[in-house]
């Protein structure tokens, strides 16, 4: 049985929720391997809408094991609120169906405060973070001063770690002319949280190894998108973790051999939330139409998404850095009614043609899209479930995308409803 990694191939918000929901129904284990509660996945099951941020998508289904891997940064207070909210929808979260890596880093209140203060101070130069403390938590992890899930079980060690952490943070806060953190208060909050969080703590790398030995189907669920990757994205306008497929192994304690199929979720046009370069952005009526038809508002932040034409050069880059096996093309129906469609096949930067978006921030900002124009379609594709239901021009558009990104289409989504999907290839049967 294949183990599948799902990643976003653009700037996030590609519609991963619906695809992951379909796959999670068939998986035995669903693993989150990076990011934090800045992710936003919406699932609609039997008419009930679930909005998840930190919990893996498998949590809403019975007899599935959900795992939060070591590559995730965990805000325990936000997690408990999410567990309470989902309980109101009839989903019980227990240590039987949720496990959290004991070596996962914790997001603390001081991380949230620092994140928001930095964004405010940056003014027009802000990155556009969600302000939830993700970046500062990863900074502490890299600097080897983070407090991890398992530390909550060691009272004496925890006190020493809090002191070491605040030695850095309080010096930083003094420099920002902000109130310092009281170590005793923080320690008291962590002691209060410990009995709530520790029952979920587990040696996740061993758990997953056992699942693989027993031939269980594992779904590795990514958050955000490739172009928000800390290394391969449009730096510095990126998230604070690696969002690419290789992180699925690192962020869960498995070797690269654990990955059999990489599915890249890819929107039929392009969107982005927050600041940063966006070569195909449309600030005209067409961009407005795409935003309205596609309901382009962030699940977590509610922020309006920037919209633009499909960027094949960008997605081809994602295909390469992720090792994408096939893509799930989403929101095809949003393009219904467009007289013509444009696809970016490269960039003109100061008179030089590029077939990829270069790493240079300056060059990214100057990139002008080189378009290929295609005929649109007037017929509705909404709800299509087979190739026969699609207009010939829509099929032509899909086939041209396959050629340009150099990866096959594994499925096509034609509405938010999970059954409105054209399945070409089942990743779990690879």
């Amino acid at each position: 049985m294949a183990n599948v990694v799902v990643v976003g191939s653009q700037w996030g918000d590609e519609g991963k929720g619906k695809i992951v929901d379909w796959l999670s129904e068939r998986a035995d284990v669903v693993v989150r391997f990076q990011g934090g509660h800045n992710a936003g996945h919406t699932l609609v099951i039997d008419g009930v809408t679930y909005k998840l941020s930190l919990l893996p998508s498998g949590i809403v289904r019975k007899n599935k094991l959900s795992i939060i891997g070591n590559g995730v940064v965990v805000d325990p207070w936000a997690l408990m609120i999410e567990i309470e909210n989902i309980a109101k929808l009839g989903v019980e979260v227990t240590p039987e169906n949720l496990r959290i890596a004991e070596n996962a880093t914790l997001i603390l209140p001081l991380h949230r405060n620092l994140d928001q203060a930095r964004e405010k101070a940056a003014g027009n130069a802000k990155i556009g973070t969600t302000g939830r403390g993700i970046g500062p938590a990863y900074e502490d992890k890299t600097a080897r001063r983070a407090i991890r899930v398992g530390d909550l079980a060691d009272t004496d060690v925890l006190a020493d770690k809090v002191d070491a952490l605040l030695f850095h943070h309080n010096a930083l806060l003094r420099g920002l002319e902000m109130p310092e953190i009281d170590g005793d208060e923080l320690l008291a909050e962590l002691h209060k949280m410990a009995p709530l969080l520790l029952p979920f703590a587990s040696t996740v790398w061993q758990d997953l190894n056992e699942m693989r030995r027993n031939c269980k189907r594992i779904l590795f669920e990514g958050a955000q998108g490739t172009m928000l990757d800390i290394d391969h994205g449009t730096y510095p306008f990126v998230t604070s973790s690696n969002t690419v497929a290789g992180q699925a192994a690192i962020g869960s304690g498995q070797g690269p051999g654990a990955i059999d199929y990489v599915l890249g979720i890819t929107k039929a046009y392009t969107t982005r939330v927050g600041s940063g370069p966006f070569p195909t952005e449309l600030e005209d009526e067409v961009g407005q139409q795409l935003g309205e038809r596609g309901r382009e508002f962030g699940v977590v932040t509610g922020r309006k998404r920037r919209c633009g034409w499909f960027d094949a050069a960008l997605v081809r880059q994602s295909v390469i850095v992720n090792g994408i096996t096939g893509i799930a093309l989403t929101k095809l129906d949003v393009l219904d009614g467009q007289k013509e469609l444009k696809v970016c096949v490269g960039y003109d930067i100061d008179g030089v043609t590029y077939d990829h978006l270069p790493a240079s921030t300056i060059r990214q900002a100057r990139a002008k899209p080189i378009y290929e124009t295609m005929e649109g379609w007037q017929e509705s594709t909404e709800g299509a479930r087979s190739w026969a239901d699609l207009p010939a021009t829509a099929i032509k558009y899909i086939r041209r995308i396959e050629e340009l990104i150099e990866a096959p289409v594994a499925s096509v989504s034609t509405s938010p409803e999970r059954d409105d999907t054209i399945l070409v290839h089942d990743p779990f049967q690879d």
Side-chain angles (χ1 to χ4, degrees):
M1 295 295 182
N3 296 325
V4 178
V5 178
V6 172
V7 294
S9 68
Q10 295 154 308
W11 277 291
D13 307 309
E14 298 95 347
K16 290 185 289 292
K18 170 182 170 177
I19 307 300
V20 168
D21 170 40
W22 179 78
L23 290 170
S24 66
E25 184 180 32
R26 308 178 63 251
D28 300 299
V29 187
V30 183
V31 185
R32 273 287 308 274
F33 58 84
Q34 51 78 217
H37 62 306
N38 54 343
H41 292 172
T42 301
L43 310 177
V44 181
I45 303 173
D46 297 328
V48 181
T49 299
Y50 304 91
K51 293 187 177 183
L52 307 177
S53 292
L54 187 58
L55 291 170
S57 296
I59 201 70
V60 300
R61 297 194 176 279
K62 294 182 179 179
N63 304 317
K64 308 289 181 185
L65 175 61
S66 290
I67 288 179
I68 296 176
N70 56 274
V72 178
V73 285
V74 180
D75 183 325
W77 294 274
L79 176 62
M80 293 305 155
I81 290 173
E82 191 170 341
I83 289 174
E84 289 177 10
N85 288 339
I86 204 168
K88 297 174 184 176
L89 298 175
V91 178
E92 185 179 10
V93 179
T94 71
E96 297 300 314
N97 62 356
L98 175 67
R99 297 179 192 174
I100 304 173
E102 60 187 357
N103 53 337
T105 293
L106 294 180
I107 299 174
L108 306 176
L110 61 88
H111 293 132
R112 293 195 301 270
N113 294 338
L114 180 59
D115 202 1
Q116 293 167 14
R118 283 176 174 171
E119 281 288 89
K120 183 178 180 180
N124 293 333
K126 65 182 180 181
I127 300 297
T129 76
T130 58
R132 299 191 171 207
I134 311 293
Y138 273 118
E139 288 176 37
D140 282 343
K141 175 181 178 178
T142 303
R144 301 179 295 278
R145 57 175 171 259
I147 294 173
R148 308 199 293 181
V149 172
D151 294 334
L152 298 183
D154 301 311
T155 305
D156 294 336
V157 173
L158 182 60
D160 291 339
K161 288 204 167 192
V162 167
D163 286 342
L165 181 69
L166 294 187
F167 179 78
H168 167 81
H169 276 276
N170 279 338
L172 183 61
L173 291 170
R174 284 194 295 272
L176 293 171
E177 297 183 349
M178 294 176 62
E180 294 185 31
I181 304 297
D182 185 298
D184 290 336
E185 289 183 8
L186 176 58
L187 198 58
E189 288 185 63
L190 290 172
H191 284 156
K192 190 175 180 180
M193 175 55 63
L196 300 177
L197 189 65
L198 285 174
F200 297 100
S202 184
T203 310
V204 158
W205 61 269
Q206 283 188 332
D207 296 338
L208 287 171
N209 184 59
E210 182 179 353
M211 297 294 169
R212 290 176 61 202
R213 285 176 177 271
N214 292 327
C215 298
K216 300 296 185 181
R217 287 174 168 171
I218 303 173
L219 174 64
F220 297 92
E221 177 185 9
Q224 290 88 41
T226 300
M227 288 301 140
L228 293 175
D229 183 273
I230 189 68
D231 288 304
H232 300 286
T234 48
Y235 188 93
F237 300 98
V238 293
T239 193
S240 301
S241 63
N242 287 112
T243 61
V244 294
Q247 178 64 20
I250 298 168
S252 63
Q254 301 300 289
I259 301 171
D260 299 302
Y261 190 103
V262 179
L263 182 66
I265 313 302
T266 308
K267 197 175 286 186
Y269 49 102
T270 311
T271 60
R272 175 165 200 167
V273 171
S275 306
F278 186 174
T280 67
E281 183 173 11
L282 295 169
E283 299 183 83
D284 57 9
E285 185 179 345
V286 175
Q288 182 76 15
Q289 289 174 353
L290 292 177
E292 291 174 356
R293 286 181 55 85
R295 303 181 186 89
E296 298 296 353
F297 295 92
V299 173
V300 171
T301 63
R303 289 183 294 182
K304 184 178 179 181
R305 297 175 187 141
R306 300 152 65 189
C307 298
W309 293 121
F310 186 83
D311 192 334
L314 192 83
V315 175
R316 179 178 174 274
Q317 194 167 330
S318 293
V319 167
I320 294 170
V321 299
N322 284 290
I324 287 175
T325 317
I327 68 165
L329 191 67
T330 64
K331 294 197 169 185
L332 181 69
D333 56 302
V334 175
L335 298 178
D336 293 354
Q338 295 294 336
K339 185 176 181 181
E340 66 177 25
L341 304 171
K342 292 183 179 181
V343 176
C344 176
V345 296
Y347 311 101
D348 180 317
I349 305 176
D350 298 329
V352 179
T353 299
Y354 287 76
D355 65 355
H356 66 285
L357 196 59
S360 166
T361 304
I362 294 174
R363 289 196 183 102
Q364 288 176 0
R366 293 176 179 172
K368 297 179 181 178
I370 299 171
Y371 283 124
E372 184 175 294
T373 302
M374 299 184 65
E375 182 184 357
W377 56 89
Q378 300 305 306
E379 304 94 324
S380 173
T381 63
E382 185 174 359
R385 300 184 181 183
S386 71
W387 290 114
D389 296 332
L390 296 179
T393 45
I395 296 175
K396 185 177 180 180
Y397 179 73
I398 295 169
R399 294 307 185 203
R400 184 55 181 151
I401 283 176
E402 288 181 312
E403 293 173 353
L404 291 170
I405 68 173
E406 299 179 7
V409 168
S411 66
V412 180
S413 175
T414 57
S415 93
E417 297 299 323
R418 59 169 297 169
D419 292 332
D420 292 340
T421 303
I422 301 170
L423 180 62
V424 180
H425 179 80
D426 181 352
F428 275 125
Q429 296 300 324
D430 193 55

